[in-house]
Amino acid sequence: MKLKVYADRMSQPSRAILIFCKVNGIDFEEIKVELSKRQHLSPEFRAINPLGQVPAIVDGRFKLFESHAILIYLASAFPGVADHWYPADLSRRARIHSVLDWHHQNLRRGAAGFVLNTVLAPLLGLPLNQQAAAEAEKILISSLTKLENIWLKGNGKYLLGGLRPSIADLSLVCEIMQLELLNGKDRDRILGPHKKVLQWIESTRNATRPHFDEVHKILYMLKTKLSEQQSNQADSVMESRIRTPLTSKM
Amino acid sequence: MMMEKLKVYADRMSQPSRAVLIFCRLNGIGFVEIKVDISKGHHLSSEFTEVNPLQKVPAIVHGSFNLSESHAILVYLNSAFPGIADHWYPSDIFRRAKINSVMDWHHSNLRNGAVSYVINTVLGPATGRTLNPKTAAEAEKVLFSSLSNLEDIWLYGDGRFLLGGSQPSIADLSMVCELMQLEVLDEKDRSRILSPYKKVLQWIDDTRASTNPHFEEVHNILYRAKKKFEQQCSRIAETQTKPSDKIGGHSKM
Ligand SMILES: N[C@@H](CCC(=O)N[C@@H](CS)C(=O)NCC(=O)O)C(=O)O
Ligand SMILES: N[C@@H](CCC(=O)N[C@@H](CS)C(=O)NCC(=O)O)C(=O)O
C-alpha cells in the first residue's frame, strides 16, 4: 500500500514532509486535512492521530505523527534517500538530533507564536495578543541569532557546516518560511540582520526546487490576500480620516 | 590510545541533566560529572560556553566531540557505548520511530507545561524571577492537557511503560524526570495535579523502581530543595500572620 501523508499545506511541518517525499521520489498519497475547516478534529483523523495534529503518516499498518520523527522514519525506511539527509555517521547524526530538538522550544515557538499573534489569529477566529507577540518576537530573534552565530558556523552552506542539506535544514527553513506572511517591514526588520540565515534559506530552497516553491505556493497566495486586506484597511482608515474633519466642522 | 572518559556537564536541579546522569549510571558508562551550577551563573562562564555555546545543561564532551540537548545525548550514548540493552532505544525501526515521536511531543507539551508551572508557582524567586500567576494558569492548562494525553494516549496497552513497553526506554526516563520536578510544589498542589492520573502515577513508580538506586540518588537534591521551600513557605506564612495580629491589637486599642 502506498504511503499516506495527512497534511495541511498551511502547516510548516506538513510542508517539510511533503517536500521531503517529493524530493526523494517517495511514492505517496497526500490526504488534505484542513485545519481551518476543523477536519483535524474529525473522528476519522483522530483514528490516525489521537492528538489531532498534522502532519501524520500511515505506512501500511504503521501510524506516526510528529514531523521530526516522520522525517527520520522516512529516511530510514525508504531505500534511495541519500545519506546527507540523515547521515549514518554517528556524530553527524547526533548533531542533527541536537538541532532538531533545539528547534521545538526556540525557533518554532518564536516563529509560530509571532506569526499567530501578528497576522494569523483573526483568520482563525482568535484575538491578536500583543503581549504574546512581543514575547514570541524575543524568542524568534534570539533563535535567529543562534542560527546565525552557532548553528550556521563554518564554511558549509547548511546547518552544522554541512555541504548538502539534512532533514534539519528542511524542517527549520520551512518553519522560517511562515515569516513570509508578515508585512514587508516586519519581515525585513526581523530577518534582514541575519545574512547567513537568508543565504541558507536560499540554498535550501535551491536544493529542493521545484518542490519547495510548489508546496509553498499556498503561503504566497495567502500573503497576497493578506496584503490586499491591509491596503483595504488602510483605505478605510484614510476615508475615516477624511470624514472626521467634515463632521467636526458640522 | 584510550579515548578520554566521557564528561557530563550537569546541574542536578535540571530535569534533563538528571535523566542523562541516571542513564549513564544505570548502564555502567564510565563518566566524569562536571557540575554547572545554574543558580551561580556557571552556565554563562567562558569554559562552559566552549562546551555548549547555547549555555544550557546538560551537555557532554566525548573525546573531541561535544553535544547538547538531552534527547540527542541519550540517543548518542545508546549508539556510542556498547552493551546498552536494546529496550532503551530499540533498533526496530517502528518502535524507534514511536519513541522519537513521544520525545518530540515532550518539548512543547509536558516540558513546556511542567517547567513553566513550577517556575511561576515556586521556583521563580530562586532564579531571580517574579511569580506570574497568569503565566502559571496558562502553564497549568498545558500541564493538565499533557498529563491527560499521557494517561489516555501514550500509556496505552498493558505494558507498564510508554507505548505499551514492558521495559523502560529513554523516553520514559526523560519524561518521568520531567514530572519529578513537581515534587517541589507544596504537597496539596502536587496531589491536586497528579492524583487524577492513576496510570501516570503508576508509571512514575515503575520507572523509579526499575532505575533505582540511581534514580533516588540523583533526585536527592530535589527532595532537599523541597524541604527548603517548605520552610520558606512556613516562614512566609508566619510573617503573614504577624502583621494581622498587630492589626488586631491596634483595633483593640
Ligand atoms: N511538533 C509537531 C507540531 C504539529 C503541529 O503543531 N501541527 C499544527 C499545524 S502546524 C496542528 O495540527 N494544529 C492543530 C491543533 O493543534 O489543533 C510537528 O512537528 O509535527
Ligand atoms: N531541551 C533541552 C533543555 C535544556 C535546558 O533548558 N536546560 C536548562 C536547565 S533545565 C538550562 O540550562 N537553563 C539555563 C538557563 O536558564 O539559561 C534539553 O533537553 O537538554
Side-chain angles (χ1 to χ4, degrees), chain B residues 179-190:
Chain B
L179 280 173
M180 284 303 287
Q181 70 184 301
L182 301 181
E183 287 290 329
V184 304
L185 301 178
D186 85 53
E187 203 43 54
K188 253 203 217 143
D189 205 30
R190 180 174 177 277

Side-chain angles (χ1 to χ4, degrees), chain A residues 63 65 68-69 95 98 101 104, chain B residues 66 68 72 98 101 104 107:
Chain A
K63 296 175 201 154
F65 47 88
H68 296 169
R95 290 239 162 93
S98 178
D101 284 335
H104 293 283
Chain B
N66 58 339
S68 65
K98 292 274 189 187
S101 171
D104 282 333
H107 293 282

Side-chain angles (χ1 to χ4, degrees), chain B residues 118-135:
Chain B
V118 169
I119 285 184
N120 285 292
T121 51
V122 185
L123 274 191
T127 53
R129 276 175 272 214
T130 46
L131 300 176
N132 182 335
K134 201 178 145 217
T135 316

